[in-house]
Amino acid sequence: LVNLGVSFVSLVLVMVYLGGMLVVFVYSVLLVADPYPEAWASCGVVGYSFGIGLVVVVGLATGGVLGLLVDEGTVNNGGLLSIQSDSSGVALLYSEGVGLLLIGG
């Protein structure tokens, strides 16, 4: 990339690579350095799992996936969140753009 004249992109790629390696190194060091690892049935792990599950359920309920706060069956949903649930673009991509999808694949 440097020979092609795009030295900034090559520096960005090197920084991304080094950042990824740093994350793997730090994770490995922290995994080895833990003298008392948590068991699956300990109170901390069970409480953390319950809290994450509660956050996911509340997020799904407020996002309208469970159908509690958002009116289903309309193109522009109302309720707490105003989401446009139009999926004709995906259908058009698969019906009209099948040649480009095959070439891309």
Side-chain angles (χ1 to χ4, degrees):
L1 288 174
V2 173
N3 288 337
L4 294 174
V6 285
S7 60
F8 179 73
V9 175
S10 64
L11 287 174
V12 168
L13 287 175
V14 168
M15 294 302 292
V16 167
Y17 174 75
L18 289 176
M21 296 308 294
L22 179 68
V23 167
V24 170
F25 176 73
V26 169
Y27 177 74
S28 301
V29 167
L30 290 177
L31 195 63
V32 170
D34 192 10
Y36 303 106
E38 294 280 339
W40 283 102
S42 67
C43 292
V45 174
V46 171
Y48 182 74
S49 301
F50 178 74
I52 291 294
L54 184 65
V55 166
V56 168
V57 168
V58 168
L60 288 175
T62 58
V65 175
L66 298 178
L68 298 176
L69 296 175
V70 178
D71 184 28
E72 296 179 13
T74 61
V75 174
N76 292 324
N77 291 331
L80 184 65
L81 298 174
S82 185
I83 300 172
Q84 184 174 0
S85 61
D86 182 23
S87 61
S88 63
V90 176
L92 188 64
L93 174 69
Y94 282 113
S95 63
E96 300 293 327
V98 67
L100 291 176
L101 288 175
L102 289 176
I103 290 171

